[in-house]
């Protein structure tokens, strides 16, 4: 016999701990992604041209700042406003829909980054692949513009459709083992369908991401075999570029799978079982993924590493100047 425990109330200690973790994740996420954004935006202010990789990172950082904000709002809704025994309120439904669109754009941007790595690092021998790599390098700006426009259009369509069907309620009765009856009440059935549609629409970019990552792995293996035959130098620039690109792509794959599983598990916890603690754990996992990948992107990008070093040196010198002023007796007068 199937038994499902509904946890609609959360102890104060659990809510406080979750809010502390959410604030910490928000701070780390904003710090890492805002850093990527400011470094690249400062180059725009100085009228220095951005390369294709910097453009993708700039769009990724903006998207993830938006993602972190939505996930933090979701955490506030769950801990203070949304009661699990009641239908989902309007604001929480809007947050979920906007998160789905932003998460979809995040996957497309990561796919653009993987395609860009392939076009720059892999030495193709087939004519078609060479032309395709050149086309990707030339059209990366148009790809980014298309992602931004499509995300904006989807946001407008989904929000307008969401508002027009806001009061639509469907109750589905499920029978398990001919005895146990579960009442599955969804305030807006379109919300659930939108979730399914978004993840089905994630299949094409995810397949492109997997194919490009696999091609980069094959290229790395071929390059290492060539190095073993001709040279023993492990500091080859091409080898280091392959490793850094693969580290970025593999980390995104791991974080995306974690976020996908957490989002997938959160749906029945939210709509069917009404388990608030389970939903809180899933939201916490989803919020940790964008900031983790941003930190890896910073460590693998030479310009961002130089910017980190500059900031740390400036902070160190500022602290030293303050310490010298406090130690100087003339400054006490």
């Amino acid at each position: 016999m199937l038994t499902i425990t509904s946890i609609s109330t959360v102890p104060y200690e659990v809510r406080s701990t979750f809010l502390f973790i959410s604030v910490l994740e928000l701070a780390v996420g904003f710090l890492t992604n805002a850093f990527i954004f400011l470094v690249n935006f400062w180059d725009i202010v100085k009228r220095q041209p951005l390369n294709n990789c910097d453009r993708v990172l700039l769009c990724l950082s903006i998207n993830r700042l938006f993602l972190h904000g939505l996930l933090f709002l979701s955490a506030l809704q769950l801990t203070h406003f949304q009661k699990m025994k009641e239908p989902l309120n309007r604001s929480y439904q809007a947050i979920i829909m906007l998160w789905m669109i932003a998460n979809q754009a995040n996957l497309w941007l990561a796919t653009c980054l993987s395609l860009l790595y392939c076009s720059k690092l892999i030495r193709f021998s087939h004519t078609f692949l060479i032309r395709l790599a050149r086309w990707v390098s030339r059209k990366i700006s148009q790809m980014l513009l298309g992602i931004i426009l499509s995300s904006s259009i989807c946001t407008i369509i989904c929000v307008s459709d969401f508002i027009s069907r806001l009061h639509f309620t469907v109750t589905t009765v499920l029978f398990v083992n001919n005895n146990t009856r579960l009442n599955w009440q969804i305030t807006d059935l379109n919300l659930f369908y939108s979730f399914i549609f978004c993840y089905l629409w994630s299949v094409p970019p995810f397949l492109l991401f997997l194919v490009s990552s696999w091609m980069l792995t094959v290229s790395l293996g071929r390059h290492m075999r060539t190095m073993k035959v001709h040279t023993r130098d492990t500091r080859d620039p091409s080898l280091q570029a392959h490793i850094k690109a693969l580290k970025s792509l593999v980390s995104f794959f791991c974080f995306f799978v974690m976020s996908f599983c957490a989002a997938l598990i959160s749906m029945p916890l939210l709509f069917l079982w009404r388990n608030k603690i389970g939903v809180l754990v899933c939201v916490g996992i989803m919020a940790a993924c964008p900031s983790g990948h941003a930190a890896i992107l910073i460590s693998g990008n030479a310009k961002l590493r130089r910017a980190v070093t500059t900031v740390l040196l400036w902070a160190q010198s500022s602290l030293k100047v303050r310490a010298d002023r406090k130690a100087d007796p003339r400054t006490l007068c």
Side-chain angles (χ1 to χ4, degrees):
M1 183 176 178
L2 179 62
T3 58
I4 297 175
T5 304
S6 177
I7 303 177
S8 57
T9 58
V10 179
Y12 174 78
E13 294 79 8
V14 176
R15 282 193 300 162
S16 301
T17 303
F18 174 74
L19 274 179
F20 174 76
I21 295 173
S22 297
V23 171
L24 186 63
E25 289 176 333
L26 180 70
V28 174
F30 263 72
L31 182 65
T32 52
N33 289 288
F35 178 79
I36 296 174
F37 169 77
L38 290 175
V39 170
N40 289 291
F41 184 74
W42 184 244
D43 286 342
I44 297 176
V45 172
K46 294 189 297 183
R47 296 183 179 180
Q48 295 181 359
L50 294 180
N51 58 37
N52 288 333
C53 183
D54 291 336
R55 293 171 187 171
V56 178
L57 292 179
L58 179 65
C59 294
L60 262 176
S61 61
I62 296 173
N63 173 266
R64 287 172 175 176
L65 287 171
F66 190 53
L67 270 176
H68 277 291
L70 289 173
L71 288 169
F72 183 70
L73 290 177
S74 177
L76 290 179
Q77 282 285 333
L78 285 170
T79 53
H80 288 84
F81 304 105
Q82 180 62 49
K83 296 181 179 179
M84 301 306 286
K85 291 182 179 181
E86 299 177 358
L88 300 183
N89 58 53
R90 298 182 181 184
S91 56
Y92 189 44
Q93 292 182 59
I95 291 170
I96 293 175
M97 292 190 67
L98 291 174
W99 173 84
M100 288 189 290
I101 296 171
N103 193 52
Q104 183 77 12
N106 178 52
L107 177 58
W108 277 105
L109 290 170
T111 303
C112 285
L113 188 63
S114 65
L115 292 174
L116 185 61
Y117 285 154
C118 281
S119 65
K120 293 295 185 182
L121 298 177
I122 300 178
R123 297 178 180 178
F124 296 104
S125 57
H126 197 279
T127 306
F128 173 75
L129 294 178
I130 294 174
R131 292 180 178 177
L132 184 61
R134 291 174 180 172
W135 182 86
V136 169
S137 298
R138 290 195 307 266
K139 299 295 182 180
I140 195 69
S141 298
Q142 288 85 339
M143 291 181 186
L144 295 176
L145 183 60
I147 293 171
I148 295 171
L149 288 177
S150 61
S151 299
S152 302
I153 293 172
C154 286
T155 302
I156 295 172
I157 293 175
C158 290
V159 170
S160 60
D161 184 68
F162 162 73
I163 294 173
S164 64
R165 299 175 180 268
L166 193 60
H167 302 288
F168 182 66
T169 303
V170 174
T171 303
T172 304
V173 180
L174 302 177
F175 294 93
V176 180
N177 295 334
N178 297 324
N179 294 319
T180 304
R181 186 175 70 180
L182 303 175
N183 292 327
W184 185 13
Q185 185 174 7
I186 304 175
T187 305
D188 191 345
L189 195 58
N190 270 357
L191 183 67
F192 183 74
Y193 286 159
S194 298
F195 177 83
I196 300 298
F197 175 77
C198 276
Y199 275 97
L200 288 177
W201 186 240
S202 299
V203 173
F206 189 62
L207 289 178
L208 280 175
F209 177 85
L210 290 179
V211 170
S212 56
S213 300
W214 172 77
M215 293 175 65
L216 201 61
T217 305
V218 172
S219 175
L220 175 62
R222 184 172 55 192
H223 186 73
M224 292 181 66
R225 288 194 299 268
T226 304
M227 286 183 59
K228 287 182 181 180
V229 175
H230 295 92
T231 180
R232 294 183 179 179
D233 187 12
T234 59
R235 297 181 180 179
D236 179 66
S238 180
L239 176 64
Q240 297 300 321
H242 273 80
I243 293 175
K244 289 177 182 178
L246 270 179
K247 186 186 296 184
S248 171
L249 298 182
V250 170
S251 62
F252 174 80
F253 173 80
C254 296
F255 285 127
F256 179 79
V257 171
M258 287 174 56
S259 178
F260 171 79
C261 293
L264 200 63
I265 294 171
S266 68
M267 285 297 106
L269 290 173
L270 182 63
F271 291 126
L272 183 61
W273 300 330
R274 304 291 179 178
N275 190 312
K276 182 175 279 192
I277 294 179
V279 178
L280 291 176
V281 172
C282 291
V283 170
I285 293 173
M286 289 187 286
C289 294
S291 55
H293 188 242
I296 293 174
L297 287 175
I298 293 174
S299 66
N301 187 280
K303 184 175 76 171
L304 295 176
R305 286 201 310 272
R306 287 195 300 269
V308 170
T309 303
T310 302
V311 171
L312 291 177
L313 290 175
W314 173 82
Q316 185 178 4
S317 62
S318 299
L319 292 174
K320 186 177 180 181
V321 169
R322 290 182 180 180
D324 292 340
R325 287 179 179 176
K326 290 182 179 180
D328 191 352
R330 290 175 298 180
T331 61
L332 300 177
C333 298

